[in-house]
Amino acid sequence: MSAPTPVRIALFGAGRIGHVHANNISALPDAELVVIADPFIDGARALATATGSVAVASPEEVFAREDIDAVVIGSPTNTHVDLITRAAGRGLAVLCEKPIDLDIASVRACQEKLGDRASQVMLGFNRRFDPSFASVQRRVAAGEVGKLEQLIIISRDPEPAPRGYLETSGGIFRDMSIHDLDMARFFVPDIVEVTATGSNTFSSDIRELGDYDTATITLRGANGELITIINSRHCAFGYDQRIEAFGSGGMLSAGNRGETTVQKFDAAGTGQADVHLPFFLERYAQAYLEELKAFVAGIRNGTGFSPGFHDGVAALELADAAITSADTGTTQNTEKARV
Ligand SMILES: NC(=O)c1ccc[n+]([C@@H]2O[C@H](COP(=O)([O-])OP(=O)(O)OC[C@H]3O[C@@H](n4cnc5c(N)ncnc54)[C@H](O)[C@@H]3O)[C@@H](O)[C@H]2O)c1
């Protein structure tokens, strides 16, 4: 029997996340990286050469092709709405990086324009595919800790991004917390209340930009669950990514990961482990691969995509509610959103 025809994919963006997706597409036997589009053509060419693909400078050169089944959008956030609309309009499946856009009005307009075609879009909330977090979520859903009462999501970056990035990032809630807000919805789809506080504890750059470097968000789920998200733009001990799900019958938790699990015990101290994996590219390497496998499987099997476009809308709505809450010192009631 001959091997199934691979899903033929075009990639937009040959930057940080573009490299991850290009390498993962190339690694999957049932996917083929056909073309990489990036106006920075030298970058696209280098990545295309490394992955056996071809490089083009403009989206038009991608959309003119007949040999594409799907697109992966890893270009800057302000290109997402346009590329999603054009790709889905041509009947292509889409895996788009988060966030869809920084402006909820433009996201909603895009959703309206897409109509039923929104179901062709998968959102790149990669943390749902982290094997540890996915396992905690599955086991909570299976009732292993009884009724979920509290969820704690800790997400701290090792250090702030450069000022140039921060200026256009949309702020800590839309840029950083959005991953954690989606993680919250992964466990508790219906969030009815958002209370957030932000603080400027260490970065004058971030303060000057009118943003916070430190934030805490409390969400209330429809069944009374309380979810606490703790974010910082810096962390002296590295990239800090943890989850704790506490229920009536116990707790499930997933901690940080180092290169190995080796620990040192001596007269100077106990339980000294390797430093954490440095940042998202390393910590979530497996998650990005699993995400891509799910995208390709969704196309092959016709089973659809999760997380979808509506999850991107819901996470951005929660981020906006967090901004309003932090800026005004009020709790925001949010419409119920379903995974
Ligand atoms: N899921 C995650 O963990 C994660 C991590 C990093 C970035 N992201 C998201 O991925 C997107 C890209 O981020 P990055 O860090 O890779 O940025 P980057 O700046 O490293 O790369 C972006 C690339 O896109 C190219 N580009 C610009 N306009 C384009 C267009 N119209 N078509 C095709 N390519 C275009 C740029 O030349 C650049 O090479 C952002 O939306 C970001 O939020 C997600």
Side-chain angles (χ1 to χ4, degrees):
M1 213 168 73
S2 61
T5 321
V7 173
R8 300 165 301 176
I9 299 177
L11 170 68
F12 292 101
R16 287 189 305 175
I17 207 69
H19 273 72
V20 173
H21 290 310
N23 290 324
N24 286 340
I25 296 166
S26 304
L28 289 191
D30 53 355
E32 181 189 347
L33 183 55
V34 175
V35 57
I36 300 172
D38 193 312
F40 175 50
I41 191 68
D42 288 349
R45 282 201 186 112
L47 189 57
T49 304
T51 53
S53 173
V54 298
V56 296
S58 71
E60 287 66 33
E61 291 169 84
V62 171
F63 293 124
R65 299 180 71 117
E66 301 283 328
D67 58 348
I68 304 291
D69 305 309
V71 304
V72 172
I73 302 175
S75 45
T77 300
N78 63 6
T79 65
H80 292 181
V81 162
D82 174 53
L83 292 174
I84 289 175
T85 310
R86 291 161 80 182
R90 283 167 174 74
L92 302 171
V94 179
L95 169 60
C96 181
E97 270 308 333
K98 50 56 62 180
I100 300 171
D101 194 84
L102 294 175
D103 174 23
I104 192 69
S106 122
V107 171
R108 289 198 186 114
C110 177
Q111 190 173 29
E112 187 145 325
K113 204 165 181 180
L114 290 176
D116 291 345
R117 294 198 162 179
S119 66
Q120 289 165 221
V121 182
M122 177 167 165
L123 244 284
F125 285 125
N126 56 293
R127 295 184 193 180
R128 291 189 185 213
F129 298 92
D130 174 70
S132 299
F133 294 168
S135 169
V136 173
Q137 191 273 344
R138 262 193 314 272
R139 294 171 67 174
V140 167
E144 274 193 46
V145 297
K147 181 181 176 298
L148 182 67
E149 296 173 359
Q150 294 175 313
L151 182 69
I152 298 172
I153 303 169
I154 296 172
S155 178
R156 299 185 176 105
D157 282 353
E159 55 188 35
R163 187 176 168 119
Y165 175 90
L166 292 169
E167 278 169 0
T168 57
S169 72
I172 192 167
F173 293 114
R174 289 196 195 100
D175 176 49
M176 194 173 166
S177 315
I178 196 149
H179 273 295
D180 310 301
L181 292 164
D182 179 68
M183 185 54 61
R185 292 190 61 257
F186 189 33
F187 283 79
V188 181
D190 294 344
I191 304 292
V192 297
E193 217 175 81
V194 179
T195 313
T197 51
S199 188
N200 295 93
T201 58
F202 71 92
S203 168
S204 51
D205 260 2
I206 293 175
R207 181 194 293 275
E208 277 169 29
L209 294 171
D211 191 12
Y212 307 111
D213 57 43
T214 302
T216 303
I217 308 171
T218 305
L219 307 171
R220 183 185 294 276
N223 297 316
E225 311 93 331
L226 289 183
I227 302 151
T228 308
I229 295 171
I230 296 172
N231 292 137
S232 175
R233 289 281 197 188
H234 79 166
C235 178
F237 53 89
Y239 193 37
D240 190 19
Q241 302 286 294
R242 290 176 278 152
I243 275 191
E244 190 176 289
F246 175 86
S248 54
M251 184 171 87
L252 285 160
S253 71
N256 284 311
R257 290 185 42 215
E259 206 62 66
T260 74
T261 59
V262 176
Q263 293 191 334
K264 179 182 172 188
F265 299 76
D266 65 10
T270 56
Q272 289 171 270
D274 282 356
V275 292
H276 301 157
L277 292 174
F279 205 12
F280 60 91
L281 295 176
E282 298 83 5
R283 171 64 182 81
Y284 290 114
Q286 189 66 33
Y288 294 119
L289 180 61
E290 298 302 329
E291 171 185 86
L292 197 77
K293 284 185 191 167
F295 179 57
V296 170
I299 296 168
R300 296 199 81 88
N301 306 330
T303 44
F305 307 116
S306 179
F309 193 98
H310 64 288
D311 295 303
V313 179
L316 189 60
E317 284 173 345
L318 292 178
D320 283 354
I323 292 169
T324 306
S325 172
D327 289 351
T328 60
T330 57
T331 292
Q332 299 294 299
N333 291 318
T334 51
E335 284 175 28
K336 292 181 184 182
R338 287 199 175 276
V339 165

